Amino acid sequence: MTKSIPQVKIVNCETGQEIVRDATAQEIAQMDAIAANAQEAQAEAEAKATAKATLLTRLGITAEEAALLLS
Amino acid sequence: MAKQTFTTGQVLTAAQMTSLQQTAMGGGSATAKTASYVLVAADAGTSVLMNSASSTTITVNTALFAAGDTVYIQNLGAGVSTITAGTATVNTSASLALAQYEGGQLYFNSTSDAIFIKGAGAAAASGGMTLLSTTTLTGASVTLSSISQSYKQLYLVFKNYLPATSGSYLTLNINSDTGTRYYAGDVYGQGAGTYTFNRTFFYMTSGAHNTVTQMTGFATFYDYTNTTTWKMATVSTFNNDATTSTSLRQNLMTEVFNQTGAITSLTLQPSSGNFTSGTILLYGVN
């Protein structure tokens, strides 16, 4: 099965001209890099959330109570 | 009335005199152009009226007009009309882009050289917003290129971003730069400390639902034309949660890009997969 090539749209704000074309290999690599970096960010956020939940459990308080302490 | 060549003894009709009078008073009949237009010789001495909801251009070519000829151009439509040098040269001290209800006079110094004098209706120097682009989000990425350098800030409005892949962020890159040169902090700041540029994009949203959207928000890019400082944006958006579409996600960020070049293009794409739909509007702000 052939993987479809991503399409990119480029809009010239001076003239209003729109071009829609296949992404180049470089653009596809850049999209992949952004996706990888986003996944990394997501993993970091999830790890932070897990650490926070673990700490709350250890302290025996809820997130709302923790927020109240910090307000 | 277009510029005429009169002959000795010619008798003018009442209609011709009325038309000449109208032109002399700075008016003149104008047939609205609803699409981009290339000026023709018969436009000399007339008004060209643009009226389109989309962006248009008015192209100026050589060998059509004589030194001293003028063409008045006005834009009635919501789409920006931009005077564009075709084979001729066009100079101005203002912007060649005419927002709705703006106009000005094109004055020819020679057959190949004109100046544009922006007139009544021009954006006030003290402030105002000009719509530069309205774009539908399609495909895997959308780039707004050739962004005018005539404004103080850029204001980007988002409506109903919907990714094909559930949980995809809406990301933004400046000047097609996808290096690890971006940093995102929450709007309250991270306090004193040492932080690194650890992202390859700006976040415009949190992970979004892929079938339901009432997404809304905006981003502001400050002093985007300067070439000496990092480029910063504040972003405030709400979107439907990727798992529970009736819940919301908030993205309130201050983000910075560690390059100093002026911003000339913005590229938006989902962090994974394609856009299903959405609209972005780019404004120049003075």
Short mmCIF file of all heavy atoms in Angstrom, two decimals, chain B residues 212-246:
data_model
loop_
_atom_site.label_atom_id
_atom_site.label_comp_id
_atom_site.label_asym_id
_atom_site.label_seq_id
_atom_site.Cartn_x
_atom_site.Cartn_y
_atom_site.Cartn_z
N VAL B 212 -15.16 16.95 17.06
CA VAL B 212 -15.98 18.06 17.57
C VAL B 212 -15.08 19.27 17.81
O VAL B 212 -14.01 19.12 18.42
CB VAL B 212 -16.67 17.68 18.89
CG1 VAL B 212 -17.51 18.85 19.42
CG2 VAL B 212 -17.54 16.46 18.70
N THR B 213 -15.49 20.43 17.33
CA THR B 213 -14.68 21.62 17.62
C THR B 213 -15.54 22.86 17.77
O THR B 213 -16.46 23.09 16.97
CB THR B 213 -13.60 21.87 16.55
OG1 THR B 213 -12.87 23.04 16.93
CG2 THR B 213 -14.19 22.07 15.17
N GLN B 214 -15.26 23.57 18.83
CA GLN B 214 -15.70 24.96 18.98
C GLN B 214 -14.48 25.79 19.35
O GLN B 214 -14.56 26.79 20.05
CB GLN B 214 -16.77 25.08 20.07
CG GLN B 214 -18.14 24.50 19.72
CD GLN B 214 -18.32 23.06 20.23
OE1 GLN B 214 -17.71 22.67 21.20
NE2 GLN B 214 -19.16 22.32 19.56
N MET B 215 -13.31 25.33 18.87
CA MET B 215 -12.03 25.92 19.25
C MET B 215 -12.00 27.42 18.90
O MET B 215 -12.49 27.84 17.86
CB MET B 215 -10.92 25.18 18.50
CG MET B 215 -9.52 25.64 18.83
SD MET B 215 -8.99 26.92 17.70
CE MET B 215 -7.43 27.36 18.41
N THR B 216 -11.40 28.21 19.80
CA THR B 216 -11.27 29.64 19.55
C THR B 216 -10.02 30.17 20.24
O THR B 216 -9.54 29.57 21.21
CB THR B 216 -12.52 30.40 20.05
OG1 THR B 216 -12.41 31.78 19.70
CG2 THR B 216 -12.69 30.30 21.56
N GLY B 217 -9.49 31.26 19.75
CA GLY B 217 -8.32 31.85 20.42
C GLY B 217 -7.53 32.76 19.51
O GLY B 217 -7.92 33.03 18.37
N PHE B 218 -6.41 33.24 20.03
CA PHE B 218 -5.58 34.18 19.27
C PHE B 218 -4.12 34.10 19.73
O PHE B 218 -3.83 33.58 20.82
CB PHE B 218 -6.10 35.62 19.43
CG PHE B 218 -6.05 36.12 20.84
CD1 PHE B 218 -4.90 36.73 21.35
CD2 PHE B 218 -7.14 35.98 21.68
CE1 PHE B 218 -4.85 37.19 22.66
CE2 PHE B 218 -7.09 36.43 22.99
CZ PHE B 218 -5.95 37.03 23.49
N ALA B 219 -3.25 34.62 18.91
CA ALA B 219 -1.84 34.77 19.28
C ALA B 219 -1.36 36.13 18.81
O ALA B 219 -1.78 36.61 17.75
CB ALA B 219 -1.00 33.67 18.62
N THR B 220 -0.53 36.76 19.61
CA THR B 220 0.03 38.06 19.24
C THR B 220 1.55 37.95 19.16
O THR B 220 2.18 37.39 20.06
CB THR B 220 -0.34 39.13 20.30
OG1 THR B 220 -1.76 39.18 20.41
CG2 THR B 220 0.17 40.49 19.89
N PHE B 221 2.11 38.47 18.09
CA PHE B 221 3.56 38.47 17.89
C PHE B 221 4.02 39.92 17.96
O PHE B 221 3.63 40.73 17.13
CB PHE B 221 3.93 37.86 16.52
CG PHE B 221 3.47 36.44 16.39
CD1 PHE B 221 2.17 36.15 16.03
CD2 PHE B 221 4.34 35.40 16.64
CE1 PHE B 221 1.74 34.84 15.92
CE2 PHE B 221 3.93 34.08 16.53
CZ PHE B 221 2.61 33.81 16.17
N TYR B 222 4.84 40.23 18.95
CA TYR B 222 5.25 41.61 19.20
C TYR B 222 6.45 42.00 18.34
O TYR B 222 7.36 41.21 18.14
CB TYR B 222 5.63 41.79 20.67
CG TYR B 222 4.50 41.46 21.60
CD1 TYR B 222 4.42 40.21 22.20
CD2 TYR B 222 3.50 42.38 21.85
CE1 TYR B 222 3.37 39.90 23.06
CE2 TYR B 222 2.45 42.08 22.69
CZ TYR B 222 2.38 40.84 23.29
OH TYR B 222 1.34 40.53 24.12
N ASP B 223 6.44 43.25 17.89
CA ASP B 223 7.64 43.84 17.27
C ASP B 223 8.31 42.84 16.32
O ASP B 223 9.52 42.59 16.40
CB ASP B 223 8.61 44.27 18.39
CG ASP B 223 9.69 45.20 17.89
OD1 ASP B 223 9.55 45.73 16.78
OD2 ASP B 223 10.70 45.38 18.61
N TYR B 224 7.49 42.29 15.44
CA TYR B 224 7.93 41.14 14.64
C TYR B 224 8.90 41.50 13.52
O TYR B 224 9.50 40.60 12.92
CB TYR B 224 6.70 40.44 14.03
CG TYR B 224 6.01 41.25 12.96
CD1 TYR B 224 6.21 40.98 11.61
CD2 TYR B 224 5.17 42.31 13.29
CE1 TYR B 224 5.60 41.73 10.63
CE2 TYR B 224 4.56 43.06 12.31
CZ TYR B 224 4.77 42.76 10.99
OH TYR B 224 4.17 43.52 10.01
N THR B 225 9.08 42.81 13.26
CA THR B 225 9.98 43.19 12.16
C THR B 225 11.40 43.49 12.64
O THR B 225 12.29 43.65 11.81
CB THR B 225 9.46 44.44 11.43
OG1 THR B 225 9.36 45.52 12.37
CG2 THR B 225 8.08 44.18 10.83
N ASN B 226 11.58 43.60 13.96
CA ASN B 226 12.93 43.98 14.41
C ASN B 226 13.92 42.82 14.14
O ASN B 226 13.53 41.65 14.04
CB ASN B 226 12.92 44.42 15.88
CG ASN B 226 13.24 43.30 16.84
OD1 ASN B 226 14.35 42.80 16.87
ND2 ASN B 226 12.24 42.88 17.61
N THR B 227 15.17 43.17 14.04
CA THR B 227 16.17 42.16 13.69
C THR B 227 17.23 42.02 14.78
O THR B 227 18.34 41.58 14.53
CB THR B 227 16.85 42.50 12.34
OG1 THR B 227 17.39 43.83 12.44
CG2 THR B 227 15.88 42.42 11.20
N THR B 228 16.89 42.45 16.01
CA THR B 228 17.89 42.39 17.08
C THR B 228 17.45 41.58 18.29
O THR B 228 18.28 41.28 19.15
CB THR B 228 18.26 43.81 17.57
OG1 THR B 228 17.07 44.45 18.03
CG2 THR B 228 18.88 44.63 16.46
N THR B 229 16.15 41.26 18.40
CA THR B 229 15.72 40.53 19.60
C THR B 229 15.11 39.18 19.24
O THR B 229 14.71 38.96 18.09
CB THR B 229 14.64 41.31 20.39
OG1 THR B 229 13.42 41.31 19.64
CG2 THR B 229 15.07 42.75 20.65
N TRP B 230 15.01 38.31 20.25
CA TRP B 230 14.25 37.07 20.09
C TRP B 230 12.82 37.44 19.71
O TRP B 230 12.36 38.55 20.01
CB TRP B 230 14.23 36.29 21.39
CG TRP B 230 15.55 35.74 21.82
CD1 TRP B 230 16.66 35.53 21.05
CD2 TRP B 230 15.89 35.32 23.15
NE1 TRP B 230 17.66 35.00 21.81
CE2 TRP B 230 17.23 34.86 23.10
CE3 TRP B 230 15.23 35.28 24.36
CZ2 TRP B 230 17.89 34.36 24.22
CZ3 TRP B 230 15.87 34.79 25.48
CH2 TRP B 230 17.19 34.33 25.41
N LYS B 231 12.09 36.51 19.15
CA LYS B 231 10.70 36.78 18.78
C LYS B 231 9.77 36.08 19.77
O LYS B 231 9.93 34.89 20.05
CB LYS B 231 10.43 36.28 17.35
CG LYS B 231 11.24 37.03 16.30
CD LYS B 231 10.86 38.50 16.28
CE LYS B 231 11.79 39.34 15.42
NZ LYS B 231 13.12 39.53 15.98
N MET B 232 8.84 36.87 20.28
CA MET B 232 7.98 36.38 21.36
C MET B 232 6.52 36.42 20.94
O MET B 232 6.11 37.27 20.16
CB MET B 232 8.18 37.29 22.57
CG MET B 232 7.30 36.96 23.74
SD MET B 232 7.43 38.24 24.99
CE MET B 232 5.97 37.88 25.94
N ALA B 233 5.75 35.47 21.46
CA ALA B 233 4.30 35.47 21.22
C ALA B 233 3.58 35.17 22.51
O ALA B 233 4.08 34.44 23.36
CB ALA B 233 3.95 34.41 20.18
N THR B 234 2.42 35.78 22.67
CA THR B 234 1.50 35.34 23.72
C THR B 234 0.35 34.64 23.03
O THR B 234 -0.13 35.10 21.98
CB THR B 234 0.96 36.51 24.57
OG1 THR B 234 0.34 37.45 23.72
CG2 THR B 234 2.07 37.17 25.34
N VAL B 235 -0.07 33.54 23.60
CA VAL B 235 -1.09 32.69 22.98
C VAL B 235 -2.19 32.41 23.99
O VAL B 235 -1.89 32.07 25.15
CB VAL B 235 -0.48 31.34 22.52
CG1 VAL B 235 -1.52 30.47 21.85
CG2 VAL B 235 0.71 31.58 21.60
N SER B 236 -3.42 32.57 23.59
CA SER B 236 -4.55 32.25 24.46
C SER B 236 -5.60 31.53 23.62
O SER B 236 -6.22 32.13 22.73
CB SER B 236 -5.13 33.53 25.06
OG SER B 236 -6.20 33.20 25.92
N THR B 237 -5.76 30.24 23.85
CA THR B 237 -6.74 29.47 23.07
C THR B 237 -7.48 28.48 23.98
O THR B 237 -6.96 28.08 25.03
CB THR B 237 -6.07 28.65 21.95
OG1 THR B 237 -5.11 27.76 22.51
CG2 THR B 237 -5.40 29.54 20.93
N PHE B 238 -8.68 28.14 23.56
CA PHE B 238 -9.46 27.07 24.19
C PHE B 238 -9.83 26.07 23.10
O PHE B 238 -10.17 26.48 21.98
CB PHE B 238 -10.74 27.62 24.81
CG PHE B 238 -10.50 28.45 26.04
CD1 PHE B 238 -10.34 29.83 25.94
CD2 PHE B 238 -10.43 27.86 27.29
CE1 PHE B 238 -10.13 30.60 27.08
CE2 PHE B 238 -10.22 28.62 28.43
CZ PHE B 238 -10.06 29.99 28.33
N ASN B 239 -9.77 24.79 23.43
CA ASN B 239 -10.21 23.78 22.47
C ASN B 239 -10.89 22.62 23.19
O ASN B 239 -10.74 22.46 24.41
CB ASN B 239 -9.04 23.28 21.61
CG ASN B 239 -7.93 22.64 22.41
OD1 ASN B 239 -7.00 23.34 22.82
ND2 ASN B 239 -7.99 21.33 22.62
N ASN B 240 -11.62 21.83 22.41
CA ASN B 240 -12.31 20.67 22.98
C ASN B 240 -11.29 19.60 23.35
O ASN B 240 -10.36 19.34 22.58
CB ASN B 240 -13.30 20.10 21.96
CG ASN B 240 -14.27 21.15 21.47
OD1 ASN B 240 -13.86 22.07 20.76
ND2 ASN B 240 -15.52 21.03 21.83
N ASP B 241 -11.46 19.01 24.52
CA ASP B 241 -10.54 17.98 24.98
C ASP B 241 -10.54 16.79 24.02
O ASP B 241 -11.59 16.41 23.47
CB ASP B 241 -10.96 17.53 26.38
CG ASP B 241 -10.05 16.44 26.91
OD1 ASP B 241 -8.88 16.74 27.18
OD2 ASP B 241 -10.51 15.28 27.02
N ALA B 242 -9.37 16.20 23.84
CA ALA B 242 -9.22 15.11 22.87
C ALA B 242 -10.05 13.89 23.23
O ALA B 242 -10.51 13.15 22.35
CB ALA B 242 -7.76 14.73 22.75
N THR B 243 -10.25 13.64 24.52
CA THR B 243 -10.99 12.45 24.95
C THR B 243 -12.47 12.74 25.17
O THR B 243 -13.35 12.02 24.68
CB THR B 243 -10.38 11.90 26.25
OG1 THR B 243 -8.98 11.72 26.04
CG2 THR B 243 -11.02 10.57 26.64
N THR B 244 -12.74 13.81 25.89
CA THR B 244 -14.12 14.17 26.22
C THR B 244 -14.42 15.52 25.57
O THR B 244 -14.00 16.56 26.08
CB THR B 244 -14.31 14.27 27.75
OG1 THR B 244 -13.77 13.09 28.34
CG2 THR B 244 -15.77 14.44 28.11
N SER B 245 -15.13 15.50 24.46
CA SER B 245 -15.27 16.74 23.67
C SER B 245 -16.05 17.82 24.40
O SER B 245 -15.94 19.00 24.06
CB SER B 245 -15.93 16.43 22.33
OG SER B 245 -17.26 16.01 22.54
N THR B 246 -16.84 17.42 25.40
CA THR B 246 -17.59 18.45 26.14
C THR B 246 -16.72 19.13 27.19
O THR B 246 -17.13 20.14 27.77
CB THR B 246 -18.82 17.82 26.83
OG1 THR B 246 -18.37 16.66 27.55
CG2 THR B 246 -19.88 17.42 25.81
#
